[in-house]
Amino acid sequence: MTHGDVQRWLDAYVAAWRSNDPDAIRSLFAADATYAYAPWREPIRGAEAIVTDWLDDPDEPDSWDATYTTLLVEGDRAVATGETTYHEEGRTYSNMFVLRFAGERCHEFVEWFMKHPSSD
């Protein structure tokens, strides 16, 4: 993986989140991928389960903004940082994603996030 490869994946991640398109979400993850919303939480296992979870309570496309940037890439592992803002709630989070890839698809996704103090 290169910085450009990871950035393209991050951009596709935001586009899939915005579209809530099951095929777009599925295309991001390896069939046996894991997705953890926090490092201490049990991950969701498998691309189909990830799609189901994402679409269980989807965010409305215009209710948030997010930008993520590739920070580090080492072989098949990457770290990305960014920010997510939910407009109506006035909540903003700083995010860090720890990623491992299998080819162009993510095999392991772990999110770390911090709520901004001004969001309380």
Side-chain angles (χ1 to χ4, degrees):
M1 295 297 287
T2 67
H3 274 72
D5 294 333
V6 176
Q7 190 61 53
R8 278 186 290 282
W9 186 91
L10 292 166
D11 294 343
Y13 176 92
V14 171
W17 183 10
R18 192 166 305 284
S19 73
N20 291 320
D21 176 359
D23 291 333
I25 299 165
R26 188 178 295 108
S27 74
L28 295 169
F29 297 97
D32 60 345
T34 60
Y35 189 113
Y37 287 102
W40 58 86
R41 288 181 58 183
E42 182 66 26
I44 299 160
R45 297 184 183 282
E48 292 306 318
I50 293 167
V51 170
T52 299
D53 186 76
W54 267 33
L55 297 177
D56 184 46
D57 186 21
D59 294 317
E60 290 299 318
D62 295 326
S63 68
W64 55 273
D65 283 308
T67 56
Y68 305 115
T69 305
T70 307
L71 182 64
L72 301 167
V73 178
E74 177 75 29
D76 65 352
R77 296 189 177 271
V79 176
T81 58
E83 195 166 276
T84 305
T85 300
Y86 293 91
H87 305 300
E88 280 189 30
E89 298 89 0
R91 292 178 291 140
T92 300
Y93 296 88
S94 290
N95 307 91
M96 181 177 71
F97 300 156
V98 179
L99 310 164
R100 186 164 61 92
F101 288 88
E104 294 181 1
R105 294 183 179 211
C106 187
H107 188 263
E108 185 177 308
F109 180 106
V110 179
E111 182 175 3
W112 299 68
F113 60 90
M114 297 290 293
K115 186 175 179 184
H116 287 204
S118 60
S119 295
D120 291 330

